[in-house]
């Protein structure tokens, strides 16, 4: 069964460094998402992406964040200058549609980002 | 803005028993979707069940069913014949109809199924 994959599973970085989190969505999906979950807190929406454009972004998704689909398979989240409060589990998700019967989002296993 | 509230941080149930997880939401939208996601200890979230707001009939998926009360903005999940594999964090989520697919999650309920 197709699944969303994410690499790395755990990333440790120093404050101020740039990190790139990678995701491979399910191949026939057209909509892509990033969410994050700070330890012990709820899952929060960061951004949705369709047709090489951001569809919606949250207040969390400031100028330090960017997303890209550099080729036909990868979907990346870049944090330019990490802060301590960026430490969280980051989940990638994908779906065939954003609305209607095919709007189920499939989640990846997550990347745990630790900022020191 | 839409909000989702799960008022039960933790619940437990004996194997083979039935348990109901609560979820309420707030929205001014009329057309939307509601979901229950399961996050097992391995942490990959999987969809348990979904409900379209325009459908009055409650969704069911095998042992999982929902009680959708649109006027009360309530969306509870019932798990029948609980199994040890049902032990997980359960998230209720809201998505308004549109073209962005943004999911808004509740705080989650940790369910422990005891043998």
């Amino acid at each position: 069964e197709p699944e969303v994959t994410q690499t790395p599973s755990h990333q440790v970085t120093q404050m101020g460094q740039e990190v790139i989190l990678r995701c491979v969505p399910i191949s026939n999906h057209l909509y892509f998402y990033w969410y994050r979950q700070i330890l012990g807190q709820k899952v929060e929406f960061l951004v949705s992406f369709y047709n090489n454009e951001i569809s919606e972004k949250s207040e969390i998704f400031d100028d330090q964040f960017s997303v890209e689909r550099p080729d036909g398979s990868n979907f990346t989240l870049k944090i330019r200058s990490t802060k301590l409060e960026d430490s969280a589990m980051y989940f990638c998700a994908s779906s065939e549609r954003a609305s209607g019967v095919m709007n189920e989002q499939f989640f990846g296993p997550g990347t745990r980002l630790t900022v020191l | 803005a839409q909000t989702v509230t799960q008022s039960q941080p933790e619940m437990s149930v004996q194997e083979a028993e039935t348990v109901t997880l609560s979820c309420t939401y707030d929205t001014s939208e009329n057309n939307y979707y509601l979901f229950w996601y399961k996050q097992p200890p391995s942490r990959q979230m999987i969809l348990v069940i979904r409900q379209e707001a325009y459908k009055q009939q409650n969704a069911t998926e095998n042992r999982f069913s929902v009680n959708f009360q649109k006027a009360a903005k309530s969306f509870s999940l019932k798990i029948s014949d609980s199994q040890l594999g049902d032990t997980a964090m359960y998230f209720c989520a809201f998505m308004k109809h549109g073209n962005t697919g943004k999911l808004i999650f509740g705080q989650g309920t940790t369910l422990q199924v005891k043998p």
Side-chain angles (χ1 to χ4, degrees), chain A residues 4 31 33 35 37 42-43 45 48 55-56 89 91 98-100 103-105 107-109 112, chain B residues 4 33 35 37 39 43-45 47 50 52 91 95 97-103 105-107:
Chain A
V4 177
Y31 294 81
Y33 315 88
Y35 295 84
Q37 185 181 28
K42 66 167 68 176
V43 178
F45 170 81
S48 60
S55 307
E56 185 172 355
M89 182 73 92
F91 294 102
S99 196
N103 69 346
E104 175 185 352
Q105 292 183 21
F107 283 79
R112 178 168 296 286
Chain B
V4 178
Y33 308 89
F35 305 84
Y37 275 90
Q39 189 181 37
R43 303 190 72 84
Q44 187 156 7
M45 268 193 293
L47 180 67
R50 68 191 288 277
E52 295 166 65
F91 290 99
M95 180 196 296
H97 180 78
N99 62 353
T100 72
K102 174 183 175 180
L103 280 170
F105 286 88
Q107 303 92 322

Side-chain angles (χ1 to χ4, degrees), chain A residues 9-109:
Chain A
S9 57
H10 192 189
Q11 174 90 46
V12 181
T13 189
Q14 295 291 325
M15 190 170 58
Q17 294 296 304
E18 174 183 288
V19 295
I20 298 176
L21 309 184
R22 291 181 168 80
C23 168
V24 178
I26 294 174
S27 61
N28 65 329
H29 286 185
L30 301 176
Y31 294 81
F32 314 112
Y33 315 88
W34 285 101
Y35 295 84
R36 80 172 186 189
Q37 185 181 28
I38 296 172
L39 189 62
Q41 298 185 25
K42 66 167 68 176
V43 178
E44 301 172 291
F45 170 81
L46 293 178
V47 66
S48 60
F49 190 85
Y50 168 72
N51 198 27
N52 281 321
E53 289 184 350
I54 290 175
S55 307
E56 185 172 355
K57 60 183 181 179
S58 71
E59 292 176 353
I60 303 166
F61 196 89
D62 61 21
D63 292 344
Q64 294 300 313
F65 290 85
S66 63
V67 289
E68 192 178 31
R69 189 155 162 82
D71 51 42
S73 59
N74 289 283
F75 179 52
T76 62
L77 174 69
K78 181 193 291 186
I79 309 174
R80 289 190 184 81
S81 179
T82 50
K83 306 182 185 68
L84 295 177
E85 54 264 37
D86 293 328
S87 294
M89 182 73 92
Y90 288 80
F91 294 102
C92 174
S94 69
S95 65
E96 284 192 51
R97 297 283 185 268
S99 196
V101 296
M102 303 306 291
N103 69 346
E104 175 185 352
Q105 292 183 21
F106 292 79
F107 283 79

Side-chain angles (χ1 to χ4, degrees), chain B residues 45-110:
Chain B
M45 268 193 293
I46 55 174
L47 180 67
V48 175
I49 198 165
R50 68 191 288 277
Q51 175 82 39
E52 295 166 65
Y54 69 85
K55 289 187 176 179
Q56 292 188 346
Q57 187 172 6
N58 289 324
T60 62
E61 287 287 342
N62 301 313
R63 298 183 295 108
F64 299 87
S65 61
V66 298
N67 183 3
F68 173 48
Q69 301 289 329
K70 191 172 183 179
K73 296 179 183 173
S74 170
F75 183 62
S76 61
L77 174 70
K78 185 171 83 170
I79 306 174
S80 304
D81 186 25
S82 297
Q83 300 176 0
L84 297 178
D86 295 333
T87 293
M89 176 82 89
Y90 287 82
F91 290 99
C92 179
F94 171 98
M95 180 196 296
K96 72 176 183 181
H97 180 78
N99 62 353
T100 72
K102 174 183 175 180
L103 280 170
I104 299 170
F105 286 88
Q107 303 92 322
T109 297
T110 300

